[in-house]
Amino acid sequence: MPINEALFAAMKAASYIKPNAGKSYKLQRVAEELIAKQAPANPKCRVEDISAPMADGYAVPLRVFTPLVAYGAPLPEALEESSANGTPVTSAISAILPAVLPKVLPKIPIKESTSSGNTDGISGNANTELPSVTPRGTILFFHGGGWATGGINLYTQACAHMAVRLQRRVIAVEYRLAPEYRFPAAVEDCYEVARQLFAGELPISGVGGSVDVDHPQSAAPTAPAGGGDISATIPAPDPDSIVLFGDSAGGNLAAAVSLMARDRGEFMPRTQMLLYPVVGNDYNPETSPFESVRTNGTDYILTAQDMADYIDMYRSSVADLTNPYFAPLTAHDLSNQPRTLVLSAEYCPLRDEDEAYARRLQLVNDNVSCYRIHDGIHGYLLNTSAVGLVSTTYRIIEHFLDDTPLEPAPGTGTTANAPEGGDAWQDVLGTD
């Protein structure tokens, strides 16, 4: 499907301007925190910071998003959202900022938070009564960023929108990043958080506090604002209601946690959702078995070289490349996996490996769905201009989770998506 020419030209220019991921990940982190500070709060969602203790003494920061109103319900006038769009920063801008950040950083006004340390996500009068909402379940979310960037600050708006749209509690995991912490640090962090969630062991250690955004790798738990019992726990949710969800590298971590859970036998996720996940290990256009690495590997923000850099930053050794917890597509056995939704993006270099993973899962599991989002580029979940793509994605997720009707509909994404009335998505496996 042809992509909008103007948008394609902009993406192509950005792809060539920005430095490769291996050279720019530190500046990328600075750019992302800068952007995250500009994001308005979502008053339809309560936000709390907690942490999960690891065996080595580290405390993994978590951010918990609980919907306060039914999706589509109006807020009291005093709590109206400052932004009509619940999705956050433009990924294209975020991607090219490292190239120009040293020159523009002193000139960018920083919007200070007006919440006075309150992370409830409620602006105005915090005592204003809101309709009560009972979440339908819990989503454990692992963020993208090539295991080296991203974070819960950057994803806060996306997770708040996710919580309200899907009417579920969302718990976002600030796993340790590469290259400071290489494989298997990130997946072990995510696995242990998942284990604690399934066991009902997550300690509330920082409600009302905040993660240290300047040093996210060393953020430590803090006592609840105003004191209180730091040993309190989130009640153990029904395991059937827990969904593992991740985008990009986070999708890799979700898939790896599911494989680990099956192998270790401590818990077993029932459902996982993987949005343009990293599941392979070869992003050299000359050797990759996947055509999308060649056709989509240079002009769509995330490049094949970026992916090769991320792989090199994440792995501890060459042997990791064939470890299924590093590259799930290399697993010899994909049986006994959760009910799975895979979402690929049409113009993403990972598209073909994502769909290959779904097909391999389908061979030994009868509970797999896979959709290709037309006109999608990698990272669109964080792109403010991708309203149609995000909406299409949530329609598919609602169909998957709640069995809502998924009728064919014209594309409404960022580009000339299905301009002649074609679908905004393609059912890759043909199971629906």
Side-chain angles (χ1 to χ4, degrees):
M1 182 181 302
I3 197 167
N4 177 276
E5 291 184 5
L7 180 61
F8 174 71
M11 289 191 298
K12 186 173 182 178
S15 300
Y16 281 94
I17 291 173
K18 73 179 184 67
N20 292 331
K23 299 179 180 179
S24 65
Y25 71 93
K26 290 183 179 180
L27 280 174
Q28 182 74 19
R29 292 176 186 173
V30 174
E32 290 172 349
E33 290 298 343
L34 177 66
I35 293 171
K37 288 180 179 180
Q38 313 303 307
N42 185 336
K44 293 183 179 180
C45 184
R46 178 179 177 83
V47 182
E48 301 169 324
D49 285 339
I50 67 173
S51 66
M54 299 293 106
D56 62 2
Y58 181 76
V60 173
L62 310 173
R63 188 159 290 167
V64 183
F65 303 82
T66 304
L68 296 174
V69 296
Y71 176 63
L75 281 172
E77 185 175 350
L79 298 181
E80 284 295 335
E81 287 187 87
S82 59
S83 173
N85 188 347
T87 58
V89 301
T90 300
S91 56
I93 294 177
S94 174
I96 65 173
L97 263 179
V100 297
L101 192 62
K103 296 180 180 179
V104 303
L105 184 57
K107 302 177 182 179
I108 298 179
I110 302 299
K111 182 178 66 178
E112 297 296 335
S113 170
T114 58
S115 63
S116 302
N118 177 14
T119 60
D120 287 348
I122 303 175
S123 59
N125 182 1
N127 295 320
T128 301
E129 291 188 5
L130 293 171
S132 60
V133 170
T134 301
R136 297 176 183 173
T138 300
I139 294 174
L140 186 61
F141 182 75
F142 309 126
H143 68 79
W147 308 283
T149 63
I152 56 178
N153 291 314
L154 184 69
Y155 276 77
T156 286
Q157 275 196 306
C159 288
H161 180 66
M162 184 189 305
V164 176
R165 175 71 189 247
L166 299 179
Q167 292 291 282
R168 285 167 169 82
R169 176 189 289 123
V170 174
I171 301 176
V173 181
E174 184 91 313
Y175 55 85
R176 282 174 276 192
L177 299 179
E180 294 88 348
Y181 297 89
R182 293 176 179 267
F183 178 82
V187 67
E188 291 289 359
D189 283 352
C190 293
Y191 175 86
E192 178 58 18
V193 171
R195 188 200 65 76
Q196 291 182 30
L197 174 62
F198 274 82
E201 298 174 358
L202 288 182
I204 298 179
S205 58
V207 175
S210 62
V211 174
D212 184 343
V213 299
D214 293 323
H215 304 283
Q217 295 277 359
S218 60
T222 56
D229 181 8
I230 65 172
S231 65
T233 60
I234 295 175
D238 176 0
D240 288 338
S241 74
I242 298 174
V243 178
L244 302 187
F245 185 22
D247 71 319
S248 190
N252 167 282
L253 295 169
V257 167
S258 293
L259 290 169
M260 275 186 170
R262 178 201 63 188
D263 297 343
R264 297 180 180 181
E266 295 181 287
F267 66 95
M268 191 61 223
R270 275 43 166 197
T271 306
Q272 65 177 354
M273 303 189 302
L274 316 176
L275 176 58
Y276 37 76
V278 184
V279 291
N281 59 14
D282 182 2
Y283 299 96
N284 183 334
E286 295 182 359
T287 58
S288 172
F290 300 113
E291 187 61 25
S292 61
V293 171
R294 287 175 282 277
T295 58
N296 297 339
T298 56
D299 298 334
Y300 301 97
I301 307 300
L302 178 72
T303 67
Q305 183 60 56
D306 287 335
M307 284 306 309
D309 288 351
Y310 286 132
I311 289 288
D312 285 343
M313 284 191 283
Y314 184 42
R315 68 177 177 88
S316 297
S317 69
V318 175
D320 293 339
L321 296 176
T322 54
N323 186 322
Y325 304 151
F326 182 96
L329 193 57
T330 67
H332 297 296
D333 180 10
L334 290 177
S335 63
N336 299 317
Q337 286 300 278
R339 180 170 176 253
T340 300
L341 172 64
V342 177
L343 294 165
S344 66
E346 182 177 8
Y347 295 105
C348 173
L350 310 180
R351 181 196 66 207
D352 293 349
E353 70 181 59
D354 294 344
E355 295 170 8
Y357 189 65
R359 291 187 180 98
R360 280 203 56 206
L361 282 171
Q362 188 188 39
L363 290 176
V364 289
N365 304 277
D366 59 1
N367 51 5
V368 181
S369 299
C370 181
Y371 297 87
R372 178 185 297 182
I373 305 301
H374 288 165
D375 284 352
I377 63 169
H378 193 88
Y380 69 74
L381 184 68
L382 293 184
N383 196 319
T384 51
S385 65
V387 177
L389 300 178
V390 174
S391 178
T392 293
T393 297
Y394 278 117
R395 286 178 55 227
I396 294 172
I397 289 174
E398 288 163 342
H399 173 67
F400 176 75
L401 292 179
D402 302 323
D403 201 28
T404 59
L406 183 60
E407 300 296 335
T412 55
T414 62
T415 68
N417 189 323
E420 297 180 357
D423 295 342
W425 46 264
Q426 173 186 340
D427 183 358
V428 173
L429 301 180
T431 56
D432 279 0

